[in-house]
């Protein structure tokens, strides 16, 4: 039996993964600020049991109890696939114009939340002899700088290194978890719309992202979800590795 736990499950890649898993009869725990009404319909057609846990991940003080709540929903013998997908692209501003509040929100959602969730997940499952996989959704921005993306690039880079360290450490654990970073590339999501609507003075590469859209170069979240789940089903994961969608196509 498999249980998938997905943050940011109501939009973009998270929604595509959720709907695919809901249609597969695997157990599903979905975490987001809002509930998608389609989940009930998809789950009823496949007989999948799912749980919705409402949470705004910038409220990092609540994340330890969130992990306890979600693990209470997991069967004792089930494999667990925990996908930290939630993220924000804002603020898209050059350094000097970021603003503390926007910068803190980016750091909380993009870095602190998945880091705390991963830390608590490992802590609370360390004595559990089952398959445990944590996927931290990353980005090419974790490895490459973009004008106006200081917050996004920095938080994704921090999460990528956090995942590498966790993967290294788990290699010596009695009941190890597998942890990977996964870069989905450019997708046709609301986040891309936010990027395209940025002021050109704030984001120098804005026109390039308009070209991605106009020339049909944006991948569908459904395709990316399919490739990620195929990667997880293959089972042979290098702990701490950064996986790029381009290498799976």
């Amino acid at each position: 039996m498999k249980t998938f736990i997905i943050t940011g499950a109501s939009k973009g890649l998270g929604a595509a993964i959720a709907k695919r898993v809901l249609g597969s009869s695997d157990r599903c725990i979905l975490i987001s600020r809002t509930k998608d009404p389609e989940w009930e319909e998809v789950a009823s057609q496949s007989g999948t049991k799912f749980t919705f846990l409402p949470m705004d991940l910038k409220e990092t003080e609540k994340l330890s109890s969130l992990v306890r709540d979600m693990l209470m929903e997991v069967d004792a013998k089930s494999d667990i696939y925990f996908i930290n997908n939630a993220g924000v692209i804002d603020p898209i501003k050059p350094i000097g114009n970021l603003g503390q509040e926007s910068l803190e929100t980016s750091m909380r959602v993009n870095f602190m939340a998945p880091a705390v969730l991963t830390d608590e997940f490992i802590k609370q499952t360390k004595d559990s002899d089952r398959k445990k996989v944590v996927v931290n959704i990353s980005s090419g921005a974790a490895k490459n700088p973009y004008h106006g993306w200081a917050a996004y690039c920095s938080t994704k880079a921090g999460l990528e290194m956090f995942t590498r360290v966790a993967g290294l450490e788990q290699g010596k654990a009695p009941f190890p978890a597998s942890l990977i970073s996964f870069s989905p590339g450019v997708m046709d999501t609301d986040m891309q719309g936010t990027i395209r609507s940025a002021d050109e003075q704030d984001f120098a590469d804005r026109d390039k992202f308009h070209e991605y859209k106009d020339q049909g170069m944006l991948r569908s979240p459904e395709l990316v979800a399919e490739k990620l789940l195929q990667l997880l089903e293959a089972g042979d994961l290098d702990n701490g590795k950064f996986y790029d969608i381009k290498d799976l196509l």
Side-chain angles (χ1 to χ4, degrees):
M1 182 180 182
K2 298 177 183 177
T3 298
F4 286 84
I5 303 168
I6 306 161
T7 70
S10 64
K11 294 182 180 179
L13 178 59
I17 298 170
K19 289 173 184 176
R20 193 172 184 88
V21 173
L22 284 170
S24 69
S25 76
D26 289 317
R27 181 76 170 84
C28 203
I29 300 169
L30 305 176
I31 301 165
S32 62
R33 288 178 295 174
T34 58
K35 185 176 183 180
D36 187 334
E38 290 186 27
W39 291 341
E40 295 280 1
E41 181 180 353
V42 176
S44 64
Q45 291 174 354
S46 62
T48 300
K49 182 181 179 183
F50 83 95
T51 299
F52 170 58
L53 298 176
M55 178 62 65
D56 186 339
L57 295 184
K58 71 181 180 183
E59 298 177 358
T60 51
E61 69 279 3
K62 299 180 180 180
L63 298 182
S64 294
S65 59
L66 174 63
V67 175
R68 287 195 298 271
D69 291 344
M70 69 191 198
L71 290 175
M72 287 178 63
E73 299 289 333
V74 180
D75 185 273
K77 296 182 180 179
S78 177
D79 295 337
I80 307 175
Y81 295 82
F82 185 13
I83 302 175
N84 279 309
N85 165 75
V88 294
I89 185 67
D90 289 320
I92 302 177
K93 297 280 185 181
I95 295 171
N97 295 307
L98 292 169
Q100 181 174 336
E101 184 176 350
S102 295
L103 190 55
E104 286 184 354
T105 296
S106 175
M107 290 183 171
R108 284 175 179 268
V109 176
N110 291 342
F111 178 73
M112 282 299 298
V116 171
L117 290 170
T118 299
D119 179 59
E120 283 293 329
F121 178 79
I122 289 176
K123 175 183 177 181
Q124 296 183 34
T125 63
K126 66 182 183 351
D127 297 323
S128 179
D129 185 12
R130 65 171 96 188
K131 186 171 187 177
K132 299 169 291 187
V133 179
V134 178
V135 181
N136 288 324
I137 298 300
S138 189
S139 168
K143 297 179 177 290
N144 301 293
Y146 289 86
H147 175 279
W149 283 16
Y152 190 68
C153 290
S154 300
T155 52
K156 287 298 185 181
L159 183 59
E160 200 272 325
M161 180 55 75
F162 182 90
T163 306
R164 288 172 61 184
V165 173
L168 175 68
E169 293 173 346
Q170 285 297 295
K172 299 179 180 180
F175 303 114
S178 296
L179 299 100
I180 65 169
S181 298
F182 176 77
S183 174
V186 288
M187 294 182 293
D188 196 4
T189 63
D190 290 347
M191 183 179 286
Q192 283 292 317
T194 301
I195 292 169
R196 293 192 301 272
S197 66
D199 190 301
E200 190 173 10
Q201 292 183 342
D202 293 331
F203 181 43
D205 292 324
R206 187 191 66 176
D207 289 347
K208 181 188 298 182
F209 282 78
H210 276 280
E211 291 176 8
Y212 291 156
K213 177 68 171 178
D214 295 340
Q215 296 176 12
M217 298 173 65
L218 299 178
R219 301 182 186 93
S220 71
E222 291 74 20
L223 172 64
V224 178
E226 176 186 2
K227 294 302 179 183
L228 172 57
L229 292 173
Q230 286 176 353
L231 174 66
L232 299 181
E233 288 166 6
D236 188 19
L237 299 173
D238 292 336
N239 220 338
K241 182 175 178 178
F242 181 95
Y243 286 85
D244 195 311
I245 184 66
K246 294 191 292 292
D247 297 328
L248 305 176
L249 299 174

mmCIF file of all heavy atoms in Angstrom, residues 92 146-147 149 186 192-218:
data_model
loop_
_atom_site.group_PDB
_atom_site.id
_atom_site.type_symbol
_atom_site.label_atom_id
_atom_site.label_comp_id
_atom_site.label_asym_id
_atom_site.label_seq_id
_atom_site.Cartn_x
_atom_site.Cartn_y
_atom_site.Cartn_z
ATOM 1 N N ILE A 92 8.979 39.301 -6.871
ATOM 2 C CA ILE A 92 9.822 39.468 -8.056
ATOM 3 C C ILE A 92 10.267 40.925 -8.071
ATOM 4 O O ILE A 92 9.577 41.815 -8.582
ATOM 5 C CB ILE A 92 9.064 39.095 -9.347
ATOM 6 C CG1 ILE A 92 8.562 37.649 -9.275
ATOM 7 C CG2 ILE A 92 9.961 39.292 -10.564
ATOM 8 C CD1 ILE A 92 7.744 37.222 -10.486
ATOM 9 N N TYR A 146 18.712 34.578 -11.433
ATOM 10 C CA TYR A 146 17.854 35.329 -12.346
ATOM 11 C C TYR A 146 17.623 36.720 -11.764
ATOM 12 O O TYR A 146 17.332 36.861 -10.570
ATOM 13 C CB TYR A 146 16.497 34.638 -12.524
ATOM 14 C CG TYR A 146 16.549 33.353 -13.310
ATOM 15 C CD1 TYR A 146 16.824 32.143 -12.682
ATOM 16 C CD2 TYR A 146 16.324 33.346 -14.682
ATOM 17 C CE1 TYR A 146 16.863 30.951 -13.392
ATOM 18 C CE2 TYR A 146 16.359 32.158 -15.412
ATOM 19 C CZ TYR A 146 16.633 30.966 -14.763
ATOM 20 O OH TYR A 146 16.685 29.792 -15.472
ATOM 21 N N HIS A 147 17.748 37.724 -12.616
ATOM 22 C CA HIS A 147 17.488 39.100 -12.197
ATOM 23 C C HIS A 147 16.062 39.205 -11.658
ATOM 24 O O HIS A 147 15.097 38.811 -12.317
ATOM 25 C CB HIS A 147 17.655 40.035 -13.402
ATOM 26 C CG HIS A 147 17.308 41.458 -13.126
ATOM 27 N ND1 HIS A 147 16.018 41.940 -13.130
ATOM 28 C CD2 HIS A 147 18.098 42.519 -12.831
ATOM 29 C CE1 HIS A 147 16.020 43.229 -12.858
ATOM 30 N NE2 HIS A 147 17.263 43.605 -12.668
ATOM 31 N N TRP A 149 14.866 37.615 -9.054
ATOM 32 C CA TRP A 149 14.423 36.396 -8.371
ATOM 33 C C TRP A 149 15.295 36.076 -7.155
ATOM 34 O O TRP A 149 15.478 34.917 -6.806
ATOM 35 C CB TRP A 149 14.457 35.209 -9.326
ATOM 36 C CG TRP A 149 13.333 35.137 -10.306
ATOM 37 C CD1 TRP A 149 12.477 36.134 -10.647
ATOM 38 C CD2 TRP A 149 12.955 33.996 -11.085
ATOM 39 N NE1 TRP A 149 11.587 35.693 -11.601
ATOM 40 C CE2 TRP A 149 11.852 34.384 -11.884
ATOM 41 C CE3 TRP A 149 13.437 32.688 -11.184
ATOM 42 C CZ2 TRP A 149 11.235 33.508 -12.781
ATOM 43 C CZ3 TRP A 149 12.831 31.817 -12.077
ATOM 44 C CH2 TRP A 149 11.725 32.219 -12.859
ATOM 45 N N VAL A 186 9.815 24.582 -16.744
ATOM 46 C CA VAL A 186 8.791 25.607 -16.974
ATOM 47 C C VAL A 186 7.464 24.924 -17.290
ATOM 48 O O VAL A 186 7.363 24.126 -18.216
ATOM 49 C CB VAL A 186 9.204 26.572 -18.105
ATOM 50 C CG1 VAL A 186 10.327 27.473 -17.637
ATOM 51 C CG2 VAL A 186 9.629 25.832 -19.360
ATOM 52 N N GLN A 192 3.512 30.817 -13.611
ATOM 53 C CA GLN A 192 4.037 31.378 -14.852
ATOM 54 C C GLN A 192 3.299 32.655 -15.231
ATOM 55 O O GLN A 192 3.890 33.598 -15.763
ATOM 56 C CB GLN A 192 3.914 30.347 -15.973
ATOM 57 C CG GLN A 192 4.967 29.252 -15.923
ATOM 58 C CD GLN A 192 6.352 29.755 -16.221
ATOM 59 O OE1 GLN A 192 6.550 30.555 -17.131
ATOM 60 N NE2 GLN A 192 7.335 29.287 -15.460
ATOM 61 N N GLY A 193 2.003 32.699 -14.957
ATOM 62 C CA GLY A 193 1.243 33.919 -15.210
ATOM 63 C C GLY A 193 1.750 35.073 -14.366
ATOM 64 O O GLY A 193 1.854 36.219 -14.848
ATOM 65 N N THR A 194 2.085 34.796 -13.126
ATOM 66 C CA THR A 194 2.644 35.820 -12.247
ATOM 67 C C THR A 194 3.979 36.317 -12.784
ATOM 68 O O THR A 194 4.256 37.525 -12.773
ATOM 69 C CB THR A 194 2.829 35.263 -10.821
ATOM 70 O OG1 THR A 194 1.573 34.834 -10.323
ATOM 71 C CG2 THR A 194 3.424 36.316 -9.895
ATOM 72 N N ILE A 195 4.790 35.399 -13.272
ATOM 73 C CA ILE A 195 6.100 35.764 -13.828
ATOM 74 C C ILE A 195 5.931 36.672 -15.046
ATOM 75 O O ILE A 195 6.600 37.696 -15.186
ATOM 76 C CB ILE A 195 6.885 34.492 -14.210
ATOM 77 C CG1 ILE A 195 7.282 33.717 -12.953
ATOM 78 C CG2 ILE A 195 8.118 34.851 -15.037
ATOM 79 C CD1 ILE A 195 7.817 32.329 -13.227
ATOM 80 N N ARG A 196 4.996 36.319 -15.927
ATOM 81 C CA ARG A 196 4.794 37.103 -17.154
ATOM 82 C C ARG A 196 4.209 38.483 -16.878
ATOM 83 O O ARG A 196 4.389 39.411 -17.670
ATOM 84 C CB ARG A 196 3.892 36.338 -18.137
ATOM 85 C CG ARG A 196 4.528 35.081 -18.700
ATOM 86 C CD ARG A 196 3.716 34.529 -19.875
ATOM 87 N NE ARG A 196 2.346 34.192 -19.507
ATOM 88 C CZ ARG A 196 1.980 33.012 -19.017
ATOM 89 N NH1 ARG A 196 2.889 32.063 -18.835
ATOM 90 N NH2 ARG A 196 0.712 32.771 -18.725
ATOM 91 N N SER A 197 3.513 38.621 -15.750
ATOM 92 C CA SER A 197 2.902 39.912 -15.429
ATOM 93 C C SER A 197 3.836 40.829 -14.637
ATOM 94 O O SER A 197 3.466 41.967 -14.329
ATOM 95 C CB SER A 197 1.606 39.689 -14.631
ATOM 96 O OG SER A 197 1.885 39.116 -13.367
ATOM 97 N N ALA A 198 5.025 40.359 -14.339
ATOM 98 C CA ALA A 198 5.983 41.179 -13.589
ATOM 99 C C ALA A 198 6.420 42.382 -14.420
ATOM 100 O O ALA A 198 6.455 42.347 -15.655
ATOM 101 C CB ALA A 198 7.202 40.341 -13.194
ATOM 102 N N ASP A 199 6.765 43.452 -13.737
ATOM 103 C CA ASP A 199 7.290 44.645 -14.401
ATOM 104 C C ASP A 199 8.667 44.320 -14.985
ATOM 105 O O ASP A 199 9.499 43.683 -14.322
ATOM 106 C CB ASP A 199 7.395 45.789 -13.388
ATOM 107 C CG ASP A 199 7.690 47.128 -14.048
ATOM 108 O OD1 ASP A 199 8.736 47.241 -14.726
ATOM 109 O OD2 ASP A 199 6.884 48.056 -13.872
ATOM 110 N N GLU A 200 8.910 44.750 -16.202
ATOM 111 C CA GLU A 200 10.193 44.443 -16.862
ATOM 112 C C GLU A 200 11.374 45.024 -16.101
ATOM 113 O O GLU A 200 12.473 44.460 -16.130
ATOM 114 C CB GLU A 200 10.180 44.970 -18.296
ATOM 115 C CG GLU A 200 11.368 44.490 -19.128
ATOM 116 C CD GLU A 200 11.250 44.876 -20.589
ATOM 117 O OE1 GLU A 200 10.355 45.668 -20.928
ATOM 118 O OE2 GLU A 200 12.074 44.383 -21.392
ATOM 119 N N GLN A 201 11.168 46.123 -15.391
ATOM 120 C CA GLN A 201 12.252 46.702 -14.596
ATOM 121 C C GLN A 201 12.577 45.817 -13.398
ATOM 122 O O GLN A 201 13.698 45.851 -12.889
ATOM 123 C CB GLN A 201 11.873 48.107 -14.135
ATOM 124 C CG GLN A 201 11.786 49.125 -15.265
ATOM 125 C CD GLN A 201 11.487 50.520 -14.759
ATOM 126 O OE1 GLN A 201 11.015 50.689 -13.628
ATOM 127 N NE2 GLN A 201 11.767 51.525 -15.581
ATOM 128 N N ASP A 202 11.603 45.044 -12.946
ATOM 129 C CA ASP A 202 11.821 44.144 -11.813
ATOM 130 C C ASP A 202 12.367 42.799 -12.253
ATOM 131 O O ASP A 202 13.092 42.141 -11.500
ATOM 132 C CB ASP A 202 10.512 43.917 -11.061
ATOM 133 C CG ASP A 202 10.014 45.178 -10.372
ATOM 134 O OD1 ASP A 202 10.864 46.016 -10.003
ATOM 135 O OD2 ASP A 202 8.786 45.317 -10.209
ATOM 136 N N PHE A 203 12.017 42.373 -13.473
ATOM 137 C CA PHE A 203 12.410 41.046 -13.970
ATOM 138 C C PHE A 203 12.887 41.169 -15.413
ATOM 139 O O PHE A 203 12.095 41.264 -16.345
ATOM 140 C CB PHE A 203 11.230 40.077 -13.868
ATOM 141 C CG PHE A 203 11.548 38.683 -14.344
ATOM 142 C CD1 PHE A 203 12.734 38.053 -14.007
ATOM 143 C CD2 PHE A 203 10.637 37.993 -15.132
ATOM 144 C CE1 PHE A 203 13.017 36.773 -14.454
ATOM 145 C CE2 PHE A 203 10.910 36.717 -15.579
ATOM 146 C CZ PHE A 203 12.099 36.102 -15.243
ATOM 147 N N ALA A 204 14.200 41.177 -15.581
ATOM 148 C CA ALA A 204 14.800 41.461 -16.886
ATOM 149 C C ALA A 204 14.480 40.401 -17.930
ATOM 150 O O ALA A 204 14.507 40.686 -19.139
ATOM 151 C CB ALA A 204 16.322 41.605 -16.731
ATOM 152 N N ASP A 205 14.188 39.166 -17.522
ATOM 153 C CA ASP A 205 13.929 38.080 -18.467
ATOM 154 C C ASP A 205 12.448 37.871 -18.747
ATOM 155 O O ASP A 205 12.043 36.826 -19.257
ATOM 156 C CB ASP A 205 14.521 36.766 -17.920
ATOM 157 C CG ASP A 205 16.037 36.793 -17.885
ATOM 158 O OD1 ASP A 205 16.632 37.381 -18.788
ATOM 159 O OD2 ASP A 205 16.612 36.226 -16.942
ATOM 160 N N ARG A 206 11.608 38.854 -18.449
ATOM 161 C CA ARG A 206 10.163 38.687 -18.605
ATOM 162 C C ARG A 206 9.781 38.289 -20.027
ATOM 163 O O ARG A 206 8.955 37.402 -20.233
ATOM 164 C CB ARG A 206 9.443 39.981 -18.229
ATOM 165 C CG ARG A 206 7.925 39.835 -18.197
ATOM 166 C CD ARG A 206 7.249 41.167 -18.093
ATOM 167 N NE ARG A 206 7.462 41.978 -19.297
ATOM 168 C CZ ARG A 206 6.909 43.172 -19.496
ATOM 169 N NH1 ARG A 206 6.143 43.706 -18.556
ATOM 170 N NH2 ARG A 206 7.139 43.844 -20.609
ATOM 171 N N ASP A 207 10.382 38.939 -21.040
ATOM 172 C CA ASP A 207 9.999 38.657 -22.427
ATOM 173 C C ASP A 207 10.298 37.211 -22.812
ATOM 174 O O ASP A 207 9.578 36.612 -23.629
ATOM 175 C CB ASP A 207 10.722 39.614 -23.385
ATOM 176 C CG ASP A 207 10.175 41.038 -23.282
ATOM 177 O OD1 ASP A 207 9.102 41.214 -22.666
ATOM 178 O OD2 ASP A 207 10.830 41.963 -23.808
ATOM 179 N N LYS A 208 11.361 36.655 -22.241
ATOM 180 C CA LYS A 208 11.696 35.261 -22.529
ATOM 181 C C LYS A 208 10.568 34.334 -22.083
ATOM 182 O O LYS A 208 10.222 33.367 -22.764
ATOM 183 C CB LYS A 208 12.998 34.877 -21.815
ATOM 184 C CG LYS A 208 13.455 33.448 -22.064
ATOM 185 C CD LYS A 208 14.622 33.061 -21.181
ATOM 186 C CE LYS A 208 15.831 33.923 -21.435
ATOM 187 N NZ LYS A 208 16.990 33.490 -20.594
ATOM 188 N N PHE A 209 9.963 34.648 -20.951
ATOM 189 C CA PHE A 209 8.880 33.809 -20.436
ATOM 190 C C PHE A 209 7.585 34.013 -21.226
ATOM 191 O O PHE A 209 6.773 33.091 -21.329
ATOM 192 C CB PHE A 209 8.681 34.056 -18.942
ATOM 193 C CG PHE A 209 9.721 33.366 -18.098
ATOM 194 C CD1 PHE A 209 10.997 33.897 -17.972
ATOM 195 C CD2 PHE A 209 9.436 32.172 -17.462
ATOM 196 C CE1 PHE A 209 11.968 33.249 -17.215
ATOM 197 C CE2 PHE A 209 10.397 31.511 -16.700
ATOM 198 C CZ PHE A 209 11.672 32.053 -16.585
ATOM 199 N N HIS A 210 7.415 35.198 -21.815
ATOM 200 C CA HIS A 210 6.303 35.386 -22.748
ATOM 201 C C HIS A 210 6.509 34.514 -23.983
ATOM 202 O O HIS A 210 5.549 33.939 -24.514
ATOM 203 C CB HIS A 210 6.193 36.856 -23.149
ATOM 204 C CG HIS A 210 5.424 37.691 -22.172
ATOM 205 N ND1 HIS A 210 4.050 37.711 -22.133
ATOM 206 C CD2 HIS A 210 5.839 38.534 -21.185
ATOM 207 C CE1 HIS A 210 3.647 38.530 -21.180
ATOM 208 N NE2 HIS A 210 4.716 39.038 -20.580
ATOM 209 N N GLU A 211 7.752 34.407 -24.436
ATOM 210 C CA GLU A 211 8.056 33.556 -25.592
ATOM 211 C C GLU A 211 7.773 32.089 -25.289
ATOM 212 O O GLU A 211 7.265 31.362 -26.149
ATOM 213 C CB GLU A 211 9.520 33.733 -26.008
ATOM 214 C CG GLU A 211 9.835 35.084 -26.615
ATOM 215 C CD GLU A 211 11.313 35.250 -26.916
ATOM 216 O OE1 GLU A 211 12.065 34.247 -26.798
ATOM 217 O OE2 GLU A 211 11.728 36.373 -27.253
ATOM 218 N N TYR A 212 8.111 31.642 -24.088
ATOM 219 C CA TYR A 212 7.808 30.264 -23.703
ATOM 220 C C TYR A 212 6.323 29.967 -23.885
ATOM 221 O O TYR A 212 5.935 28.922 -24.415
ATOM 222 C CB TYR A 212 8.182 30.011 -22.236
ATOM 223 C CG TYR A 212 9.658 30.017 -21.924
ATOM 224 C CD1 TYR A 212 10.109 30.305 -20.630
ATOM 225 C CD2 TYR A 212 10.613 29.714 -22.889
ATOM 226 C CE1 TYR A 212 11.459 30.298 -20.327
ATOM 227 C CE2 TYR A 212 11.963 29.717 -22.587
ATOM 228 C CZ TYR A 212 12.377 30.016 -21.300
ATOM 229 O OH TYR A 212 13.712 30.016 -20.990
ATOM 230 N N LYS A 213 5.487 30.911 -23.445
ATOM 231 C CA LYS A 213 4.030 30.740 -23.541
ATOM 232 C C LYS A 213 3.569 30.817 -24.991
ATOM 233 O O LYS A 213 2.818 29.955 -25.480
ATOM 234 C CB LYS A 213 3.337 31.808 -22.704
ATOM 235 C CG LYS A 213 1.815 31.796 -22.776
ATOM 236 C CD LYS A 213 1.237 30.562 -22.129
ATOM 237 C CE LYS A 213 -0.287 30.678 -22.027
ATOM 238 N NZ LYS A 213 -0.892 29.451 -21.441
ATOM 239 N N ASP A 214 4.016 31.840 -25.708
ATOM 240 C CA ASP A 214 3.557 32.069 -27.079
ATOM 241 C C ASP A 214 3.987 30.950 -28.022
ATOM 242 O O ASP A 214 3.265 30.620 -28.980
ATOM 243 C CB ASP A 214 4.084 33.409 -27.597
ATOM 244 C CG ASP A 214 3.521 34.602 -26.828
ATOM 245 O OD1 ASP A 214 2.473 34.425 -26.170
ATOM 246 O OD2 ASP A 214 4.138 35.690 -26.874
ATOM 247 N N GLN A 215 5.140 30.355 -27.759
ATOM 248 C CA GLN A 215 5.667 29.314 -28.643
ATOM 249 C C GLN A 215 5.324 27.901 -28.161
ATOM 250 O O GLN A 215 5.829 26.917 -28.696
ATOM 251 C CB GLN A 215 7.185 29.466 -28.771
ATOM 252 C CG GLN A 215 7.602 30.783 -29.433
ATOM 253 C CD GLN A 215 9.114 30.977 -29.486
ATOM 254 O OE1 GLN A 215 9.888 30.045 -29.241
ATOM 255 N NE2 GLN A 215 9.544 32.189 -29.800
ATOM 256 N N GLY A 216 4.458 27.808 -27.149
ATOM 257 C CA GLY A 216 4.012 26.497 -26.674
ATOM 258 C C GLY A 216 5.110 25.685 -26.016
ATOM 259 O O GLY A 216 5.094 24.448 -26.072
ATOM 260 N N MET A 217 6.046 26.363 -25.354
ATOM 261 C CA MET A 217 7.183 25.674 -24.751
ATOM 262 C C MET A 217 6.956 25.289 -23.290
ATOM 263 O O MET A 217 7.821 24.676 -22.663
ATOM 264 C CB MET A 217 8.437 26.551 -24.868
ATOM 265 C CG MET A 217 8.844 26.834 -26.302
ATOM 266 S SD MET A 217 10.195 28.037 -26.427
ATOM 267 C CE MET A 217 11.529 27.124 -25.651
ATOM 268 N N LEU A 218 5.797 25.661 -22.740
ATOM 269 C CA LEU A 218 5.510 25.338 -21.344
ATOM 270 C C LEU A 218 4.938 23.931 -21.248
ATOM 271 O O LEU A 218 3.982 23.589 -21.942
ATOM 272 C CB LEU A 218 4.513 26.339 -20.761
ATOM 273 C CG LEU A 218 4.953 27.804 -20.739
ATOM 274 C CD1 LEU A 218 3.832 28.673 -20.183
ATOM 275 C CD2 LEU A 218 6.226 27.991 -19.920
#
